[in-house]
Amino acid sequence: MTDAEGRKPQSDEARSVFTPPTGVMAPAEPESSTTSEFAVPEGLAVPRTGTESETTSEFALPEGLDVAPPPPVETEGSAFSTPSTYSAKQTAAFTPASGIPLVSLAKDVPWQDRMRTMLRMPVTERPAPEPVQRHDEAGPAVPRVLDLTLRIGELLLAGGEGAEDVEAAMFAVCRSYGLDRCEPNVTFTLLSISHQPSLVDDPVTASRTVRRRSPDYTRLAAVYQLVDDLSDDETHVSLEEAYRRLAEIRRNRHPYPGWALTAASGLLAGAASVLVGGGFLVFVSAAIGAMLGDRLAWLCAGRGLPEFYQFTVAATPPAAIGVALTLGHVDVKASAVITGGLFALLPGRALVAGVQDGLTGFYITASARLLEVLYFFVGIVAGVLTVLYFGVQLGARLNPDAALGVSDDPLWQIAASMLLSLAFAVLLQQERSTVLMATLNGGVAWVVYGAMHYTGDISPVVSTTAAAGLVGLFGQLLARYRFASALPYTTAAIGPLLPGSATYFGLLGIAQNEVDSGLTSLTKAVALAMAIAIGVNLGSEISRIFLRIGSAEKRRAAKRTRGF
């Protein structure tokens, strides 16, 4: 069947399901219905570039859309290569997000004070480093700088320096070579330091163990001089030069021979016996006993015995001589002989360093140092008690009151205290240029103690604290004036204040079955030792806070004098 025009009508079955219904206008199809998934969606206006060419690739990015370039491919490097983000140039320092203002450090103070101030600050609040040593753009090798820092810290810690001062020196070395993100950590036997170049780089950590500790203040002063030169903006020391100087410091021999150390030990014991009322015979007896003890200790050290047994053996000769004089009915104060011998053995510097570490927040190191002092003290107690026990069994009548008297001549006491400090300085291997000042400082300490205790009838603990405070104050002033360590000026000066007589009285009371009186005397000895440590630390802190001794002009003039 056809219509009027002769066309055959289409049935419903003949229509496609995709054919628009009748009356609905179909959209005009573009010339090409094939589109890319990367094409700009319809309706999105793209600004024209103004060029004549209208043809664009379907993979072209829309104009105005910026895509970051791909990150560079990181190649695997060695642990000794310089990090890619390291720069030896000075970087700008910004105020932290918490709003804490930038801290500026004065340059006219010693490097110890500046480094100590930064160590006591949080890491985010520390000011940016000021490059001191000149290097190329790549900067020094980080592992070598860390190794040099650890070796310097090892010498300082082995020489008896406090934990905070060791960390300050290590921090100064790192910052002098441009490593600002460093964290040193000092314990009693382990040194470690960690450096992180940036927040995205892996940290580099190194450590070093301190096996032996022997006081040598000449070597200590040389190490401080090296750190001072590294921290100076006018003295440029390369890594190779620093390593060479450090090797020379380690190879240098002690300034005093062995026989001089033995003689100094005898003089120290003799001067201490005079301070507690002894005469010439007591002086000679105490000196002989101390020298014998020193030689026995050297013998034990050569055989590899621990220091505990060395102290035990060294304490027996003075006690044996005192007991022998009593058994021989010699008119001499045997207690003064034994007390003088104990002065040469008391670990005064270790005690002061332990208390100082505790006061500055290094509790682990302080506990270890005080535990070492306790072991040394127990060794001395064991040696003296053994001799006193056999002496009492043999009928020796040791009277503690015989050693309580002091000389009536103040000048004689002052001379004995200065001789004691002089001998102590020699035992500590100090430089000859510092021995005189340490000797005078010890005389001042005894003058203050004697004036307060014997003349003013003030408690011995309070008198000891005041005298030790002046020792710490004067020692810190001399150290700041010379930009050196304060140990050579303070350690030997506290020698006359050590509680040798109180220690002996406590041991004698225990040996005579008078435990209560013995413990009372030992408690007094501990109190005096703590007073010495706290006084020295307090005097040092007062000098740092309120006094400004030493300036940049004096420092530069001193370096020009030395030829730098």
Side-chain angles (χ1 to χ4, degrees):
M1 183 176 180
T2 61
D3 55 4
E5 296 180 359
R7 292 181 301 181
K8 186 177 180 178
Q10 297 180 352
S11 64
D12 293 339
E13 291 80 2
R15 295 196 182 117
S16 173
V17 295
F18 298 100
T19 303
T22 304
V24 178
M25 183 179 295
E29 295 183 356
E31 295 181 0
S32 176
S33 59
T34 304
T35 58
S36 170
E37 60 180 346
F38 297 99
V40 180
E42 185 176 353
L44 179 62
V46 180
R48 298 186 179 273
T49 60
T51 59
E52 298 294 335
S53 176
E54 299 290 339
T55 304
T56 58
S57 171
E58 60 180 353
F59 296 99
L61 294 175
E63 186 173 345
L65 178 62
D66 295 331
V67 179
V73 180
E74 295 184 0
T75 59
E76 183 178 358
S78 172
F80 294 93
S81 60
T82 305
S84 59
T85 58
Y86 177 82
S87 176
K89 297 181 178 180
Q90 182 176 1
T91 57
F94 300 95
T95 304
S98 57
I100 301 175
L102 181 66
V103 178
S104 60
L105 300 176
K107 295 184 179 181
D108 59 344
V109 296
W111 61 265
Q112 297 98 315
D113 293 347
R114 291 185 285 115
M115 297 301 109
R116 188 180 291 106
T117 301
M118 283 190 289
L119 282 174
R120 294 178 180 180
M121 296 166 53
V123 180
T124 56
E125 301 177 23
R126 292 174 183 171
E130 299 177 359
V132 176
Q133 307 302 327
R134 295 178 180 175
H135 309 288
D136 53 6
E137 294 296 330
V142 174
R144 293 196 65 194
V145 176
L146 298 184
D147 179 71
L148 175 67
T149 303
L150 289 174
R151 292 178 183 273
I152 289 177
E154 178 190 7
L155 288 180
L156 293 177
L157 187 62
E161 190 62 88
E164 188 179 34
D165 294 326
V166 175
E167 283 197 359
M170 296 173 63
F171 198 66
V173 174
C174 288
R175 288 181 69 92
S176 65
Y177 286 103
L179 306 184
D180 56 328
R181 299 182 183 91
C182 288
E183 284 297 326
N185 186 21
V186 176
T187 59
F188 187 55
T189 57
L190 182 64
L191 299 170
S192 63
I193 187 168
S194 177
H195 169 67
Q196 188 172 12
S198 67
L199 296 178
V200 297
D201 289 329
D202 296 332
V204 181
T205 304
S207 61
R208 195 172 183 89
T209 303
V210 180
R211 300 292 182 183
R212 298 185 60 185
R213 289 172 298 276
S214 58
D216 188 345
Y217 286 178
T218 299
R219 180 178 297 174
L220 190 70
V223 175
Y224 262 83
Q225 184 61 60
L226 174 59
V227 179
D228 187 25
D229 292 340
L230 291 175
S231 304
D232 187 16
D233 54 354
E234 292 186 355
T235 305
H236 306 291
V237 184
S238 63
L239 268 175
E240 289 73 16
E241 177 67 16
Y243 268 107
R244 185 191 64 79
R245 291 179 57 178
L246 189 63
E248 290 181 355
I249 293 173
R250 298 179 70 96
R251 286 195 302 263
N252 285 343
R253 299 179 61 88
H254 299 301
Y256 306 102
W259 64 266
L261 299 180
T262 302
S265 178
L267 290 177
L268 190 152
S273 64
V274 172
L275 286 179
V276 293
F280 178 76
L281 183 57
V282 172
F283 179 91
V284 175
S285 302
I288 293 175
M291 288 189 290
L292 289 177
D294 181 76
R295 287 292 90 191
L296 289 177
W298 276 97
L299 181 62
C300 294
R303 297 301 179 91
L305 287 178
E307 288 184 304
F308 175 84
Y309 300 105
Q310 297 177 25
F311 274 82
T312 302
V313 172
T316 54
I321 291 179
V323 171
L325 292 175
T326 303
L327 292 175
H329 302 287
V330 180
D331 187 13
V332 68
K333 294 180 179 180
S335 299
V337 176
I338 302 175
T339 301
L342 292 179
F343 266 86
L345 300 176
L346 294 178
R349 173 55 202 165
L351 178 63
V352 173
V355 176
Q356 181 179 358
D357 290 342
L359 294 175
T360 53
F362 295 84
Y363 301 112
I364 297 178
T365 308
S367 302
R369 287 186 187 271
L370 294 178
L371 186 61
E372 181 190 40
V373 172
L374 178 62
Y375 272 101
F376 290 164
F377 190 75
V378 171
I380 297 172
V381 168
V384 176
L385 274 182
T386 301
V387 177
L388 291 181
Y389 176 78
F390 284 106
V392 172
Q393 296 298 322
L394 294 175
R397 297 175 179 262
L398 297 173
N399 184 14
D401 296 334
L404 289 176
V406 294
S407 175
D408 296 333
D409 189 358
L411 297 179
W412 185 249
Q413 294 184 27
I414 297 174
S417 64
M418 295 178 64
L419 179 61
L420 192 152
S421 300
L422 173 64
F424 207 169
V426 174
L427 287 176
L428 294 174
Q429 303 282 358
Q430 292 188 194
E431 289 182 307
R432 292 177 174 85
S433 59
T434 63
V435 171
L436 177 60
M437 300 307 299
T439 302
L440 295 177
N441 202 8
V444 171
W446 184 257
V447 168
V448 174
Y449 174 79
M452 295 182 64
H453 178 55
Y454 296 114
T455 304
D457 293 332
I458 302 177
S459 169
V461 177
V462 177
S463 303
T464 301
T465 304
L470 282 180
V471 168
L473 178 62
F474 291 159
Q476 192 61 230
L477 293 180
L478 292 173
R480 291 165 65 88
Y481 183 78
R482 297 191 175 187
F483 291 89
S485 173
L487 290 182
Y489 305 104
T490 58
T491 305
I494 64 174
L497 304 177
L498 293 176
S501 58
T503 303
Y504 167 71
F505 296 156
L507 300 180
L508 183 59
I510 295 175
Q512 294 179 345
N513 292 326
E514 298 178 1
V515 180
D516 294 339
S517 61
L519 292 178
T520 302
S521 297
L522 290 179
T523 303
K524 178 182 178 181
V526 173
L528 291 175
M530 295 292 291
I532 294 174
I534 295 175
V536 170
N537 181 262
L538 181 61
S540 301
E541 293 295 334
I542 290 175
S543 66
R544 295 192 190 106
I545 295 175
F546 297 104
L547 300 179
R548 291 293 182 90
I549 300 296
S551 61
E553 289 76 11
K554 292 182 180 180
R555 181 181 185 180
R556 287 192 289 267
K559 287 186 176 298
R560 285 195 296 269
T561 304
R562 292 195 298 267
F564 290 101

PDB file of all heavy atoms in Angstrom, residues 23 50 58 85 109 150 203 216 316-317 380 387 420-422 426 454 460 471 532 564:
ATOM      1  N   GLY A  23       8.398  15.228  15.995  1.00  0.00           N
ATOM      2  CA  GLY A  23       8.181  16.519  16.640  1.00  0.00           C
ATOM      3  C   GLY A  23       9.342  16.990  17.478  1.00  0.00           C
ATOM      4  O   GLY A  23       9.329  18.109  17.961  1.00  0.00           O
ATOM      5  N   GLY A  50      45.963  34.693  20.463  1.00  0.00           N
ATOM      6  CA  GLY A  50      46.189  35.793  19.528  1.00  0.00           C
ATOM      7  C   GLY A  50      47.031  35.397  18.347  1.00  0.00           C
ATOM      8  O   GLY A  50      47.396  36.240  17.541  1.00  0.00           O
ATOM      9  N   GLU A  58      45.104  17.668  20.275  1.00  0.00           N
ATOM     10  CA  GLU A  58      44.146  17.235  21.291  1.00  0.00           C
ATOM     11  C   GLU A  58      44.836  16.912  22.616  1.00  0.00           C
ATOM     12  O   GLU A  58      44.188  16.763  23.639  1.00  0.00           O
ATOM     13  CB  GLU A  58      43.390  16.008  20.797  1.00  0.00           C
ATOM     14  CG  GLU A  58      44.293  14.812  20.497  1.00  0.00           C
ATOM     15  CD  GLU A  58      43.473  13.619  20.018  1.00  0.00           C
ATOM     16  OE1 GLU A  58      42.241  13.727  20.060  1.00  0.00           O
ATOM     17  OE2 GLU A  58      44.072  12.597  19.651  1.00  0.00           O
ATOM     18  N   THR A  85      71.136  19.293  49.720  1.00  0.00           N
ATOM     19  CA  THR A  85      70.520  20.500  50.273  1.00  0.00           C
ATOM     20  C   THR A  85      71.466  21.312  51.133  1.00  0.00           C
ATOM     21  O   THR A  85      71.071  22.322  51.682  1.00  0.00           O
ATOM     22  CB  THR A  85      69.293  20.116  51.118  1.00  0.00           C
ATOM     23  OG1 THR A  85      69.705  19.220  52.150  1.00  0.00           O
ATOM     24  CG2 THR A  85      68.232  19.458  50.261  1.00  0.00           C
ATOM     25  N   VAL A 109      81.486  38.220  73.963  1.00  0.00           N
ATOM     26  CA  VAL A 109      81.605  37.286  75.074  1.00  0.00           C
ATOM     27  C   VAL A 109      82.314  36.048  74.562  1.00  0.00           C
ATOM     28  O   VAL A 109      82.318  35.775  73.354  1.00  0.00           O
ATOM     29  CB  VAL A 109      80.226  36.920  75.664  1.00  0.00           C
ATOM     30  CG1 VAL A 109      79.561  38.140  76.256  1.00  0.00           C
ATOM     31  CG2 VAL A 109      79.332  36.287  74.616  1.00  0.00           C
ATOM     32  N   LEU A 150      83.802  14.818  67.593  1.00  0.00           N
ATOM     33  CA  LEU A 150      83.824  13.759  68.598  1.00  0.00           C
ATOM     34  C   LEU A 150      85.212  13.599  69.211  1.00  0.00           C
ATOM     35  O   LEU A 150      85.340  13.350  70.417  1.00  0.00           O
ATOM     36  CB  LEU A 150      83.370  12.444  67.976  1.00  0.00           C
ATOM     37  CG  LEU A 150      81.880  12.334  67.631  1.00  0.00           C
ATOM     38  CD1 LEU A 150      81.600  11.038  66.893  1.00  0.00           C
ATOM     39  CD2 LEU A 150      81.028  12.412  68.887  1.00  0.00           C
ATOM     40  N   PRO A 203      69.302  11.885  58.728  1.00  0.00           N
ATOM     41  CA  PRO A 203      70.334  12.404  59.641  1.00  0.00           C
ATOM     42  C   PRO A 203      71.589  11.543  59.601  1.00  0.00           C
ATOM     43  O   PRO A 203      71.546  10.346  59.305  1.00  0.00           O
ATOM     44  CB  PRO A 203      69.652  12.332  61.013  1.00  0.00           C
ATOM     45  CG  PRO A 203      68.646  11.248  60.879  1.00  0.00           C
ATOM     46  CD  PRO A 203      68.160  11.298  59.459  1.00  0.00           C
ATOM     47  N   ASP A 216      94.826  15.884  82.491  1.00  0.00           N
ATOM     48  CA  ASP A 216      95.983  16.547  81.894  1.00  0.00           C
ATOM     49  C   ASP A 216      95.506  17.913  81.422  1.00  0.00           C
ATOM     50  O   ASP A 216      94.999  18.067  80.314  1.00  0.00           O
ATOM     51  CB  ASP A 216      96.546  15.719  80.735  1.00  0.00           C
ATOM     52  CG  ASP A 216      97.861  16.288  80.218  1.00  0.00           C
ATOM     53  OD1 ASP A 216      98.179  17.448  80.557  1.00  0.00           O
ATOM     54  OD2 ASP A 216      98.573  15.584  79.482  1.00  0.00           O
ATOM     55  N   THR A 316      96.936   2.715 102.037  1.00  0.00           N
ATOM     56  CA  THR A 316      97.510   1.950 103.148  1.00  0.00           C
ATOM     57  C   THR A 316      98.831   2.516 103.694  1.00  0.00           C
ATOM     58  O   THR A 316      99.034   2.501 104.917  1.00  0.00           O
ATOM     59  CB  THR A 316      97.697   0.483 102.712  1.00  0.00           C
ATOM     60  OG1 THR A 316      98.463   0.436 101.497  1.00  0.00           O
ATOM     61  CG2 THR A 316      96.346  -0.175 102.471  1.00  0.00           C
ATOM     62  N   PRO A 317      99.795   3.006 102.884  1.00  0.00           N
ATOM     63  CA  PRO A 317     101.057   3.475 103.472  1.00  0.00           C
ATOM     64  C   PRO A 317     100.907   4.633 104.453  1.00  0.00           C
ATOM     65  O   PRO A 317     101.521   4.590 105.547  1.00  0.00           O
ATOM     66  CB  PRO A 317     101.896   3.869 102.240  1.00  0.00           C
ATOM     67  CG  PRO A 317     101.366   3.037 101.142  1.00  0.00           C
ATOM     68  CD  PRO A 317      99.898   2.956 101.399  1.00  0.00           C
ATOM     69  N   ILE A 380      89.257   3.915  99.319  1.00  0.00           N
ATOM     70  CA  ILE A 380      90.068   4.563 100.352  1.00  0.00           C
ATOM     71  C   ILE A 380      89.675   4.072 101.734  1.00  0.00           C
ATOM     72  O   ILE A 380      90.535   3.795 102.593  1.00  0.00           O
ATOM     73  CB  ILE A 380      89.914   6.090 100.245  1.00  0.00           C
ATOM     74  CG1 ILE A 380      90.446   6.586  98.896  1.00  0.00           C
ATOM     75  CG2 ILE A 380      90.647   6.793 101.380  1.00  0.00           C
ATOM     76  CD1 ILE A 380      90.157   8.052  98.630  1.00  0.00           C
ATOM     77  N   VAL A 387      94.101  -1.054 107.804  1.00  0.00           N
ATOM     78  CA  VAL A 387      95.274  -0.720 108.616  1.00  0.00           C
ATOM     79  C   VAL A 387      94.856  -0.311 110.025  1.00  0.00           C
ATOM     80  O   VAL A 387      95.477  -0.726 111.030  1.00  0.00           O
ATOM     81  CB  VAL A 387      96.086   0.383 107.927  1.00  0.00           C
ATOM     82  CG1 VAL A 387      97.267   0.800 108.806  1.00  0.00           C
ATOM     83  CG2 VAL A 387      96.581  -0.080 106.569  1.00  0.00           C
ATOM     84  N   LEU A 420      99.958  23.409  99.160  1.00  0.00           N
ATOM     85  CA  LEU A 420      99.048  22.324  98.791  1.00  0.00           C
ATOM     86  C   LEU A 420      98.461  22.556  97.400  1.00  0.00           C
ATOM     87  O   LEU A 420      98.391  21.636  96.566  1.00  0.00           O
ATOM     88  CB  LEU A 420      97.946  22.202  99.838  1.00  0.00           C
ATOM     89  CG  LEU A 420      97.038  20.959  99.808  1.00  0.00           C
ATOM     90  CD1 LEU A 420      96.517  20.661 101.208  1.00  0.00           C
ATOM     91  CD2 LEU A 420      95.846  21.142  98.869  1.00  0.00           C
ATOM     92  N   SER A 421      98.031  23.779  97.113  1.00  0.00           N
ATOM     93  CA  SER A 421      97.476  24.086  95.796  1.00  0.00           C
ATOM     94  C   SER A 421      98.534  23.957  94.702  1.00  0.00           C
ATOM     95  O   SER A 421      98.244  23.480  93.592  1.00  0.00           O
ATOM     96  CB  SER A 421      96.891  25.502  95.784  1.00  0.00           C
ATOM     97  OG  SER A 421      95.853  25.629  96.736  1.00  0.00           O
ATOM     98  N   LEU A 422      99.764  24.353  95.005  1.00  0.00           N
ATOM     99  CA  LEU A 422     100.853  24.226  94.045  1.00  0.00           C
ATOM    100  C   LEU A 422     101.110  22.760  93.694  1.00  0.00           C
ATOM    101  O   LEU A 422     101.236  22.390  92.508  1.00  0.00           O
ATOM    102  CB  LEU A 422     102.115  24.867  94.605  1.00  0.00           C
ATOM    103  CG  LEU A 422     103.405  24.681  93.788  1.00  0.00           C
ATOM    104  CD1 LEU A 422     103.270  25.359  92.433  1.00  0.00           C
ATOM    105  CD2 LEU A 422     104.602  25.239  94.551  1.00  0.00           C
ATOM    106  N   VAL A 426     100.489  20.640  90.012  1.00  0.00           N
ATOM    107  CA  VAL A 426     101.471  19.795  89.331  1.00  0.00           C
ATOM    108  C   VAL A 426     100.892  18.407  89.080  1.00  0.00           C
ATOM    109  O   VAL A 426     101.093  17.808  88.005  1.00  0.00           O
ATOM    110  CB  VAL A 426     102.767  19.716  90.154  1.00  0.00           C
ATOM    111  CG1 VAL A 426     103.742  18.713  89.534  1.00  0.00           C
ATOM    112  CG2 VAL A 426     103.416  21.086  90.253  1.00  0.00           C
ATOM    113  N   TYR A 454      87.363  30.020 111.814  1.00  0.00           N
ATOM    114  CA  TYR A 454      88.160  30.094 113.044  1.00  0.00           C
ATOM    115  C   TYR A 454      88.024  31.443 113.746  1.00  0.00           C
ATOM    116  O   TYR A 454      88.049  31.506 114.984  1.00  0.00           O
ATOM    117  CB  TYR A 454      89.638  29.831 112.723  1.00  0.00           C
ATOM    118  CG  TYR A 454      89.879  28.434 112.200  1.00  0.00           C
ATOM    119  CD1 TYR A 454      90.299  28.224 110.896  1.00  0.00           C
ATOM    120  CD2 TYR A 454      89.679  27.322 113.007  1.00  0.00           C
ATOM    121  CE1 TYR A 454      90.520  26.951 110.410  1.00  0.00           C
ATOM    122  CE2 TYR A 454      89.891  26.038 112.531  1.00  0.00           C
ATOM    123  CZ  TYR A 454      90.314  25.862 111.225  1.00  0.00           C
ATOM    124  OH  TYR A 454      90.520  24.592 110.752  1.00  0.00           O
ATOM    125  N   PRO A 460      81.355  25.295 109.519  1.00  0.00           N
ATOM    126  CA  PRO A 460      82.337  24.932 108.479  1.00  0.00           C
ATOM    127  C   PRO A 460      81.704  24.718 107.108  1.00  0.00           C
ATOM    128  O   PRO A 460      82.346  24.957 106.090  1.00  0.00           O
ATOM    129  CB  PRO A 460      82.965  23.647 109.028  1.00  0.00           C
ATOM    130  CG  PRO A 460      81.998  23.122 110.023  1.00  0.00           C
ATOM    131  CD  PRO A 460      81.326  24.314 110.611  1.00  0.00           C
ATOM    132  N   VAL A 471      86.449  30.796  94.895  1.00  0.00           N
ATOM    133  CA  VAL A 471      87.333  30.038  94.005  1.00  0.00           C
ATOM    134  C   VAL A 471      86.716  29.925  92.612  1.00  0.00           C
ATOM    135  O   VAL A 471      87.378  30.159  91.593  1.00  0.00           O
ATOM    136  CB  VAL A 471      87.627  28.648  94.590  1.00  0.00           C
ATOM    137  CG1 VAL A 471      88.289  27.753  93.555  1.00  0.00           C
ATOM    138  CG2 VAL A 471      88.521  28.765  95.813  1.00  0.00           C
ATOM    139  N   ILE A 532      81.541  22.345  98.658  1.00  0.00           N
ATOM    140  CA  ILE A 532      82.597  22.750  97.721  1.00  0.00           C
ATOM    141  C   ILE A 532      82.069  22.759  96.298  1.00  0.00           C
ATOM    142  O   ILE A 532      82.257  23.723  95.535  1.00  0.00           O
ATOM    143  CB  ILE A 532      83.807  21.797  97.848  1.00  0.00           C
ATOM    144  CG1 ILE A 532      84.468  21.953  99.220  1.00  0.00           C
ATOM    145  CG2 ILE A 532      84.810  22.064  96.738  1.00  0.00           C
ATOM    146  CD1 ILE A 532      85.577  20.949  99.474  1.00  0.00           C
ATOM    147  N   PHE A 564      98.691  34.989  64.764  1.00  0.00           N
ATOM    148  CA  PHE A 564      97.589  34.638  63.871  1.00  0.00           C
ATOM    149  C   PHE A 564      97.209  35.842  63.007  1.00  0.00           C
ATOM    150  O   PHE A 564      97.183  36.953  63.497  1.00  0.00           O
ATOM    151  CB  PHE A 564      96.377  34.165  64.678  1.00  0.00           C
ATOM    152  CG  PHE A 564      96.599  32.843  65.322  1.00  0.00           C
ATOM    153  CD1 PHE A 564      96.919  32.767  66.661  1.00  0.00           C
ATOM    154  CD2 PHE A 564      96.513  31.671  64.585  1.00  0.00           C
ATOM    155  CE1 PHE A 564      97.120  31.538  67.255  1.00  0.00           C
ATOM    156  CE2 PHE A 564      96.708  30.450  65.182  1.00  0.00           C
ATOM    157  CZ  PHE A 564      97.029  30.379  66.509  1.00  0.00           C
TER     158      PHE A 564
END
